[in-house]
Amino acid sequence: MNKGKYLSVVSLIVYLASIFFLSPIVGDIIVLFSIIPLALMTWYLSPGFVIGVLVLLCVVIFYGFDAEVNIKSPGIIYILFSGGMVLAFYLIRKRMQYLSHYQARQEAMLENSTDIVAIMNSDGVITYTSSNIKVHFGWVPTDIINQEVWMTVHPDDLIRAKAKFNSLLEHTSERITLDFRFRCADGAYRYVDLSAVNMLQDPIINGILVNYRDVDQQKQTERALLANEYNYRILFENMQDTVCMLDNQGCITDINEAGINLMGYARQEIIGMTVAQLVHPDDQERSRRYFEELDHKGCYSRYEGRVVAKSGKPIWIQVDSNEFIIDGVKIGSQDIVRDISVQKEVEQQMRQQNKMLQELNATKDKFFSIISHDLRSPFNSILGLTKLLDARFDIWDDAKKKNYIKRLKNEAGMTYKLLDNLLDWARIQTRSVCYHPQKYLLQELVKDEINLLEELAANKNIKVNRLACQEELFIHADKNMITTVFRNLFSNAVKFTPENGCINISCQKLFLQDQKRYVQVAIKDSGVGIPTEQLQKLFQLEELVSTKGTAGEIGTGLGLILCKEFIDKHGGRLDIKSQEGLSSTFTVSLELI
């Protein structure tokens, strides 16, 4: 009987004995219920156990010598009883949390280990195996549990394995190692390196703990190295992976044809070079640590790093290395090197794509959050106006009715424009917008939009000055997208220009450094300008701002974002210059044909 059980039994005996002395004083019910917290604290053997015993002793002594106080002060019993219960359940919760975290950590470490862990009883029956056995050998744990371990051992290795097992049963805590051929679920055999320890006396393990690793590749390499020179050279030179032999100083003593092709050196050039001369400078320290592991353990696996080829190109490789021993003397190591450059490129592309998807999803979430907020306001306004019209139509005069109908029209128009912009943006993000660029004459493409601009400007007595190019300018563009861009920019110019102001539209050709020809269309207004702090936020959804025009015109805040999306589709640019209180200039740059 261990110490915990002994203390539990003694404590319970004390409590049971106290029933007979305390029940006449405080009643059977209270005494019986007070057993619960002590029993729980005793079970978990926490520091609270001692506190619980002290509380009990205080109750026994206090009421054993002064029963009259019990009648005068019954609240003390309830205070002690409640305190004991609260303390007990608090300790239970803490203990359960600890056990839960500990168990979860142990299971995670066990199941994610590259080695397979198993437990078998003294009869050689498997009682547990980690789930990663399926990855290495194809076995589903439920198919192999409760089966004799000998079913997995190659017949030629069975006698040696049973001898080791019997020796292990005779010595508690002794550890044995064994390499043998392990039968996979498909009937094939793979070499494993097994380590086992007798833990039958351990109350938790209660069995033989086995740890075994798939070393089939290593065994194949060892067999190849022990073959005759001719067969060895054929295997060595025809391996798809690079095979490299190193001496104890890390110098290359031999390398196969795959390694020569990978690194770009001639055989006589690379023989004698050190690994440090080939490893990328940024990976030198990590490479050195793996060499230290090779010295301590005799092997390392799955090192990933970069080497630099003769051409200067960095190449990502994965390396498994093992000591090369002859007659018990280490003479160097053998490295199996795989080119994983393509894999790394794919991983990098996937990371970039995942990042883009995350950014896109975040943008969409933010965008629709803004839209759901902004749509509610105009609809509430429309509903309010219609209710007023419906309720007071018969008592209002025609002028007031017309005023409210005009307001209702403006609200409905703004809401429609907001929805229209939203649909355009959504189609862009989901790639539902078909981009079909064709050859267009720029002047013809924007003629209708400029005419519309002049009509809008006339309502505010704004003068529109056209400084158009006389030369014909042809661009490759999607008509719907480009007309949408100029329609938004022209209407913005009118919106933010006060009455009696002016708007100048100009275009000019220019050449960039790459000698591509571009046309710049500039729309300059004499409006209110844009504050500097808002200028940097015009194309950010999370900073979406809707500003009223000089005549109270209401906007959606989405027009410029759509313009930039469409211009980016065309490989162009949208530049903005503004002076608060003076003017703003929006310049669209598009490539000429």
Side-chain angles (χ1 to χ4, degrees), residues 385-404:
L385 290 171
T386 54
K387 286 180 180 179
L388 281 172
L389 280 171
D390 182 52
R392 303 182 182 182
F393 189 84
D394 294 332
I395 61 176
W396 280 351
D397 57 26
D398 290 343
K400 196 163 188 177
K401 292 175 185 177
K402 186 175 182 180
N403 178 49
Y404 272 82

Side-chain angles (χ1 to χ4, degrees), residues 48-97:
F49 169 76
V50 180
I51 299 173
V53 173
L54 292 176
V55 171
L56 173 65
L57 292 176
C58 289
V59 174
V60 172
I61 295 171
F62 188 81
Y63 292 104
F65 290 95
D66 191 4
E68 294 182 358
V69 179
N70 176 54
I71 299 173
K72 296 177 181 179
S73 306
I76 295 177
I77 294 174
Y78 299 106
I79 292 173
L80 294 173
F81 176 72
S82 300
M85 289 291 290
V86 170
L87 178 61
F89 284 106
Y90 170 76
L91 293 170
I92 291 171
R93 185 172 65 86
K94 295 293 287 185
R95 182 69 176 185
M96 292 300 291
Q97 286 178 347

Side-chain angles (χ1 to χ4, degrees), residues 126-197:
I126 299 170
T127 59
Y128 167 81
T129 182
S130 54
S131 61
N132 56 356
I133 192 172
K134 178 175 176 58
V135 176
H136 293 277
F137 304 117
W139 288 105
V140 177
T142 54
D143 293 340
I144 200 170
I145 289 175
N146 296 326
Q147 301 292 328
E148 287 191 345
V149 71
W150 314 121
M151 66 174 285
T152 64
V153 181
H154 192 282
D156 295 345
D157 299 330
L158 197 56
I159 295 176
R160 183 163 53 93
K162 286 187 175 182
K164 285 277 190 178
F165 179 81
N166 292 331
S167 173
L168 187 63
L169 290 177
E170 297 173 0
H171 301 87
T172 303
S173 299
E174 179 181 339
R175 182 179 297 274
I176 65 164
T177 58
L178 175 69
D179 62 317
F180 65 95
R181 284 161 289 182
F182 188 97
R183 186 168 72 88
C184 302
D186 60 1
Y189 286 90
R190 297 182 67 85
Y191 273 94
V192 298
D193 187 7
L194 176 143
S195 174
V197 60

Side-chain angles (χ1 to χ4, degrees), residues 322-339:
N322 288 278
E323 289 181 341
F324 194 66
I325 299 175
I326 297 180
D327 297 331
V329 179
K330 176 185 174 182
I331 62 172
S333 62
Q334 174 184 266
D335 291 356
I336 307 297
V337 182
R338 300 172 188 85
D339 182 359

Side-chain angles (χ1 to χ4, degrees), residues 371-387:
I371 293 305
S372 65
H373 176 270
D374 288 349
L375 277 177
R376 188 177 292 110
S377 178
F379 272 114
N380 286 336
S381 180
I382 291 171
L383 289 173
L385 290 171
T386 54
K387 286 180 180 179

